[in-house]
Amino acid sequence: MKIKLFSILVLCIAYLLPLGSYGFTAPPREVDICVYGGTSAGVIAAYTAKQLHKTVLLVSPEKHLGGLTSGGLGYTDIGNKYAITGLSRDFYRRIGAHYGKLEQWIFEPHVAEAIFQQYIKAASVEVLYGYTISKAVKQNGYITEITVNGPAAQVVKAKMFIDCSYEGDLMAKAGISYTIGREANAQYQETYNGVQLLDKHQFPDGVDPYKIPGKPESGLLWGISSETLAAQGSGDKKVQAYNFRICLSNRPENRIPITKPEDYDPSRYELLIRLLNATKPEALKPNLKIDLMPNGKTDINNYGAFSTDMIGMNYNYPEADPATRKKIVREHELYTKGLLYFIGHDERIPAHLRKEMLQWGYPKDEYTDNGHWSPQLYIREARRMIGAYVMTQANCEGREKVNDAVGMAAYTMDSHNCQRIVVNGMVKNEGDVQKGGFGPYPVSYRSIIPKPEDAKNVLVPVCLSASHIAYGSIRMEPVFMVLAQSAATAAAVSIDQRVPVQEADVQKVQTMLRTNPLADNSPAEILVDDDDAQHVTVKGDWKKMVHGCYGPTMLTDDSKGAVPKSVRFSPAIERAGKYEVFTYVPRLPGLDGNAHVKVFDGSTVKEVEITAASIKVEGQTSGEWVSLGTYQLKAGSSAYVEIGNHKTEGIVAADAVLFVPR
């Protein structure tokens, strides 16, 4: 009897301990859609698929959800908010609700993660945390199952797979074509791809690269490569630099001092001393981009010639195994923590810069299970699929357009530096490109699916098919969420139509995204933009601007009412009901702080004054939606919002009007 009880006890203990310790494999799981990657895109894809009545499993190699959006990038990069639709926009609306606004694009990490958890809980999405893919089985062009390793080996069978990882690991295991690094300009007839020695985030002339100045035989300072500069525009396999988006606090009650990290080596930062001696900055800004967040926090990004980017130290990351990647992430962490400590404590740093640095510390209420440091390295670029269609510079600049759009992008074509080398006896960074000047542009459905010969049931909305420089524009967290919703919608359509993703009805996908933007059949909001000729009536001579606006353009007038002018926005109301009405106020120098707007609900006209106090842009990265009140609107086109130039003392802008069902 004692032997039998002991045997039962041993079996119970074995069951409770991590199964991976014993090499066990859990019983296979079978779902309609398997989403790989716990990034912001992964959460939105899984939520969308579940809302579309599919069985879903989200496999997350990470222990936290949200990727970089919850990992420090709270000062959202986007360019033009018009490009952000559906659940991606809903995410920033939920952020806004937390801070008491319609939407907000600047936020604390823990707030973002809590909202991603809202999506998971609302749709009852099952998540496997801490599992990485080790194998994919393909038959007749279809991925039939993948194996992921975590506490136990787990086989997952699915009709559709969506790779939402930053690294494209599922895509790679499935044998889907991909590339790493920079194409030569000649490959896609581009001008900003490949090797680029430009002047942004660059060392000034004369900064010596050698350990003993003027003596090459002494060797190069840490972080400088001995490679020679290749021809401008030539391709290579170098990867743009990674870094951490750093959340610090200046509130004494929430601040942990920045202490010396392990393996601290001040010689790593010798180049910074030489740079400061050459530039003599008055503040940290030329070397740290410190964007302020709510509650005394920061989102610090790389800035200048020597900063938080660990240039040239990530080339092996895209193809590395989990252990090697973990080592690379740790090296980036120690470099960054060492940099912060160095700036605050090394006596060669000017006193005013040390004083500015020492006002910051690690926040007590962020990343509480990871030493108050983000667990998510900024993987700006790793693998990129070579899919059914490759997005290129021509797409970004509007010279080539697609008719199968499942999202838009709007950011500058942006690459961080790829290497630090010696040019003409001076240290120089190479690879930084920042080229904009274009409006929102469509992203092709074919760019998020493989070529049919590679796989027929996989979608890749993060490591999508784009050239290096086009990916630099598309690779923004809000866009990843947009494309993830589109990928999940297309996966559901493919399942329902019993066709490979290459044959899915794209028009049906587009219609579903347009008519059911939140994937829950809630009423869609109504946007009327100034370039909507069918619903906008313009009286007078308004100037058309293409920068700083919501959407492609905005209309402005600076006549201060000398000649009466107006822009009327008339929505087509399909469903009668209460709507809160907003007008978009851009960030524009000289904008009138007391604009007057007329709102007609179909029965009466109400004049609303927009005061400077009502425009709270501190939570935004561009303009702000300002509420004009809530109105009962009838179906039809009788209601309108009219922006005029009467009673104005400065510039008045007519950009866009939004009607949100309440």
Side-chain angles (χ1 to χ4, degrees):
M1 186 66 178
K2 288 182 179 180
I3 293 175
K4 188 176 290 186
L5 287 172
F6 179 78
S7 300
I8 293 172
L9 180 61
V10 169
L11 288 172
C12 289
I13 293 171
Y15 179 80
L16 291 171
L17 286 171
L19 294 176
S21 304
Y22 298 90
F24 291 172
T25 300
R29 298 292 311 281
E30 193 162 351
V31 292
D32 292 327
I33 299 174
C34 174
V35 179
Y36 184 78
T39 60
S40 59
V43 173
I44 295 301
Y47 175 84
T48 301
K50 196 69 184 293
Q51 292 293 93
L52 296 178
H53 311 297
K54 303 304 176 190
T55 55
V56 179
L57 180 65
L58 173 58
V59 179
S60 175
E62 305 81 16
K63 296 179 181 179
H64 295 269
L65 296 180
L68 198 63
T69 297
S70 61
L73 203 168
Y75 195 87
T76 308
D77 299 319
I78 177 52
N80 193 316
K81 296 173 186 175
Y82 178 82
I84 306 309
T85 55
L87 287 167
S88 180
R89 182 170 58 201
D90 179 68
F91 170 80
Y92 297 99
R93 293 282 171 83
R94 294 188 187 203
I95 293 282
H98 175 84
Y99 290 109
K101 306 177 75 171
L102 172 66
E103 65 185 28
Q104 185 150 319
W105 302 70
I106 299 175
F107 49 85
E108 300 158 271
H110 75 272
V111 174
E113 185 170 5
I115 289 172
F116 285 124
Q117 287 291 348
Q118 285 179 10
Y119 287 111
I120 294 299
K121 292 175 183 176
S124 298
V125 174
E126 183 180 357
V127 184
L128 290 182
Y129 290 97
Y131 281 78
T132 57
I133 186 169
S134 61
K135 181 181 178 183
V137 177
K138 185 162 56 176
Q139 295 179 2
N140 300 320
Y142 287 86
I143 309 303
T144 58
E145 64 182 50
I146 64 172
T147 301
V148 293
N149 294 326
Q154 175 71 68
V155 173
V156 182
K157 300 182 178 183
K159 298 172 184 174
M160 291 283 158
F161 293 88
I162 305 176
D163 188 346
C164 289
S165 66
Y166 291 127
E167 297 84 2
D169 285 341
L170 188 152
M171 170 185 73
K173 293 294 184 184
I176 295 169
S177 303
Y178 63 86
T179 188
I180 297 170
R182 305 179 284 184
E183 298 91 350
N185 272 326
Q187 183 168 342
Y188 296 118
Q189 292 75 55
E190 297 174 305
T191 53
Y192 300 127
N193 211 333
V195 173
Q196 300 285 331
L197 185 66
L198 302 176
D199 57 1
K200 185 73 173 178
H201 301 304
Q202 186 59 275
F203 285 91
D205 287 349
V207 177
D208 196 293
Y210 303 110
K211 291 180 180 178
I212 301 176
K215 294 189 176 182
E217 64 274 14
S218 66
L220 294 167
L221 290 175
W222 181 91
I224 303 175
S225 168
S226 61
E227 289 196 29
T228 56
L229 178 65
Q232 187 86 350
S234 59
D236 58 29
K237 295 301 180 183
K238 293 180 173 64
V239 180
Q240 63 173 304
Y242 300 165
N243 74 336
F244 282 94
R245 297 293 286 255
I246 310 166
C247 184
L248 300 179
S249 173
N250 65 359
R251 302 273 178 89
E253 69 278 8
N254 194 39
R255 183 179 64 196
I256 299 172
I258 295 170
T259 55
K260 183 189 298 184
E262 63 180 76
D263 297 328
Y264 175 70
D265 182 359
S267 69
R268 288 185 170 190
Y269 313 107
E270 177 64 32
L271 264 178
L272 178 59
I273 295 297
R274 296 187 186 182
L275 177 65
L276 295 178
N277 290 338
T279 57
K280 295 180 170 41
E282 296 181 359
L284 290 174
K285 174 61 185 289
N287 300 101
L288 292 177
K289 185 176 184 290
I290 303 177
D291 290 312
L292 300 181
M293 311 292 284
N295 297 315
K297 294 176 186 172
T298 67
D299 171 0
I300 299 178
N301 195 11
N302 181 84
Y303 199 86
F306 191 99
S307 187
T308 61
D309 277 0
M310 200 176 179
I311 299 172
M313 305 297 178
N314 61 339
Y315 298 161
N316 294 331
Y317 183 89
E319 299 274 47
D321 59 36
T324 304
R325 283 182 181 166
K326 186 175 181 180
K327 182 175 181 291
I328 294 171
V329 172
R330 179 63 173 164
E331 289 169 350
H332 279 72
E333 178 183 341
L334 293 176
Y335 163 79
T336 311
K337 287 180 174 179
L339 175 64
L340 299 178
Y341 179 80
F342 182 84
I343 294 172
H345 294 86
D346 195 287
E347 292 186 357
R348 294 173 295 170
I349 297 288
H352 66 284
L353 300 182
R354 278 183 278 142
K355 181 179 179 181
E356 184 181 352
M357 186 72 246
L358 290 174
Q359 72 175 300
W360 300 103
Y362 303 125
K364 293 179 181 178
D365 61 345
E366 299 289 353
Y367 318 123
T368 55
D369 63 348
N370 197 56
H372 309 282
W373 183 262
S374 173
Q376 180 62 61
L377 183 64
Y378 194 169
I379 310 302
R380 287 192 174 90
E381 189 174 354
R383 301 180 178 103
R384 300 189 310 280
M385 180 170 63
I386 303 175
Y389 180 86
V390 179
M391 298 288 294
T392 68
Q393 180 180 331
N395 295 105
C396 301
E397 296 176 336
R399 293 181 286 108
E400 184 174 330
K401 296 184 179 180
V402 299
N403 59 10
D404 62 342
V406 288
M408 288 186 291
Y411 200 71
T412 296
M413 289 182 288
D414 177 19
S415 172
H416 281 234
N417 280 303
C418 299
Q419 59 180 334
R420 181 172 285 150
I421 54 177
V422 179
V423 179
N424 298 325
M426 302 176 290
V427 60
K428 292 292 178 182
N429 293 330
E430 184 279 312
D432 187 275
V433 180
Q434 296 178 51
K435 298 293 182 180
F438 46 81
Y441 59 91
V443 178
S444 170
Y445 171 66
R446 288 164 292 155
S447 72
I448 66 171
I449 60 173
K451 293 176 287 188
E453 60 268 27
D454 280 350
K456 299 178 181 179
N457 64 333
V458 179
L459 298 104
V460 186
V462 174
C463 295
L464 73 157
S465 180
S467 71
H468 160 72
I469 199 60
Y471 190 79
S473 172
I474 299 168
R475 62 169 182 84
M476 301 300 141
E477 290 285 297
V479 177
F480 285 157
M481 288 190 272
V482 169
L483 297 177
Q485 180 178 359
S486 301
T489 304
V493 168
S494 297
I495 291 171
D496 293 343
Q497 295 179 341
R498 298 185 179 182
V499 296
V501 293
Q502 291 83 6
E503 297 176 22
D505 185 344
V506 179
Q507 288 188 344
K508 182 176 177 61
V509 173
Q510 293 170 328
T511 299
M512 291 172 67
L513 294 170
R514 184 177 63 254
T515 59
N516 189 17
L518 302 185
D520 61 359
N521 295 310
S522 60
E525 62 188 39
I526 302 167
L527 173 70
V528 184
D529 196 46
D530 68 280
D531 65 346
D532 184 351
Q534 185 178 353
H535 298 102
V536 175
T537 304
V538 180
K539 291 185 179 180
D541 183 21
W542 292 72
K543 296 177 183 178
K544 183 167 285 193
M545 297 181 65
V546 297
H547 298 296
C549 50
Y550 188 91
T553 63
M554 67 177 164
L555 302 174
T556 65
D557 177 66
D558 59 3
S559 68
K560 299 182 180 180
V563 179
K565 302 176 185 180
S566 65
V567 180
R568 180 174 291 186
F569 299 80
S570 303
I573 305 293
E574 294 183 0
R575 186 184 302 182
K578 282 188 177 181
Y579 290 81
E580 188 170 3
V581 182
F582 297 84
T583 185
Y584 191 77
V585 180
R587 278 185 173 174
L588 192 63
L591 192 69
D592 194 304
N594 292 284
H596 295 258
V597 181
K598 293 179 180 178
V599 181
F600 180 60
D601 63 2
S603 301
T604 59
V605 174
K606 179 181 179 182
E607 188 167 296
V608 181
E609 182 179 5
I610 300 176
T611 65
S614 66
I615 306 172
K616 302 174 183 178
V617 295
E618 67 270 11
Q620 315 304 333
T621 51
S622 52
E624 170 74 289
W625 288 110
V626 175
S627 178
L628 303 175
T630 301
Y631 303 86
Q632 183 72 35
L633 302 181
K634 300 175 183 178
S637 301
S638 61
Y640 66 78
V641 172
E642 185 174 284
I643 299 175
N645 68 342
H646 65 299
K647 301 181 182 179
T648 56
E649 297 296 330
I651 298 173
V652 61
D655 195 346
V657 176
L658 184 67
F659 300 80
V660 179
R662 295 303 189 197

